[in-house]
Amino acid sequence: MNRLITYIIIGIVILVAAPPVFKYLTRERIYYTEVERIVQLHSNKWGDKTMDFYFQYPHHVEEHFLANPGDTALPQTTVTFADGCSFVGSAQADAHTIVIYGRYVQPTGAVWDYKLTRSLNLGGLVGVSGSADLEMPFTMNDRTYTAYVSWTLPSGTKVFIQEGDTEKVKLEEHHLGGLF
């Protein structure tokens, strides 16, 4: 009789403990990897699919301001490009550098906030410094997310993700050989 009661108690404990443990083990885990300013989001629920975010220097914007130097004197300019992208902000350009401040919006829904300085071929060296913040909504496996990627140049990346209307969560970078 005591043995039967022991088995019943163990069975009840297993039935009570199993759902939370199963839920913890099967929950979605999202992490990122970053190589040369390319951020890839990975999830244990997406299989081999990844979401890739490339640091995109705003060449359209730079070319516009270099071709239209009169616009660099304006405190704020709105430019709409043929591919559907638009820029609202300002720029300063001289013979050596171009400085861009503003918001660049792509038809994909990606919104870039730029604070960049680019050297214009000084002695063969071309460099970019500053920051670019990307906010982009996307859908994966019928779930909507918004990715927030912040690059600080020349180095440094922070990645956050938000599922639906939940709170933003900072993601950890996955390193080869490590657990996520």
Side-chain angles (χ1 to χ4, degrees):
M1 187 74 168
N2 285 343
R3 187 170 262 181
L4 179 63
I5 293 173
T6 303
Y7 289 139
I8 291 173
I9 291 173
I10 290 172
I12 291 171
V13 168
I14 290 173
L15 287 174
V16 169
V21 169
F22 182 74
K23 185 176 181 179
Y24 174 77
L25 292 175
T26 60
R27 80 175 199 268
E28 183 172 36
R29 290 175 179 82
I30 299 175
Y31 59 96
Y32 78 95
T33 55
E34 190 229 349
V35 177
E36 296 179 7
R37 292 190 250 171
I38 300 171
V39 171
Q40 289 186 321
L41 295 186
H42 308 264
S43 170
N44 60 325
K45 301 274 185 175
W46 300 348
D48 291 336
K49 296 179 193 174
T50 62
M51 282 301 297
D52 298 348
F53 302 96
Y54 300 84
F55 172 82
Q56 183 172 8
Y57 185 79
H59 293 288
H60 287 77
V61 178
E62 178 183 310
E63 290 171 7
H64 170 80
F65 284 112
L66 291 175
N68 301 291
D71 287 352
T72 60
L74 300 173
Q76 183 142 328
T77 302
T78 300
V79 182
T80 302
F81 300 98
D83 64 357
C85 297
S86 64
F87 176 80
V88 176
S90 63
Q92 300 167 345
D94 60 31
H96 303 290
T97 60
I98 185 164
V99 179
I100 298 172
Y101 292 95
R103 178 168 275 194
Y104 183 68
V105 180
Q106 295 177 295
T108 59
V111 177
W112 295 80
D113 288 315
Y114 285 106
K115 296 178 190 115
L116 291 174
T117 301
R118 180 172 181 264
S119 62
L120 300 172
N121 201 8
L122 296 172
L125 298 174
V126 176
V128 178
S129 65
S131 66
D133 298 315
L134 167 71
E135 177 183 331
M136 182 172 174
F138 67 96
T139 301
M140 187 70 78
N141 293 348
D142 297 326
R143 297 171 98 176
T144 59
Y145 301 91
T146 302
Y148 301 88
V149 183
S150 179
W151 286 272
T152 303
L153 303 176
S155 64
T157 305
K158 292 180 185 169
V159 181
F160 294 83
I161 193 153
Q162 181 178 21
E163 183 181 348
D165 293 332
T166 62
E167 190 174 324
K168 285 195 302 190
V169 176
K170 184 175 182 182
L171 297 181
E172 296 296 320
E173 185 171 5
H174 177 68
H175 298 283
L176 293 176
L179 294 173
F180 57 88

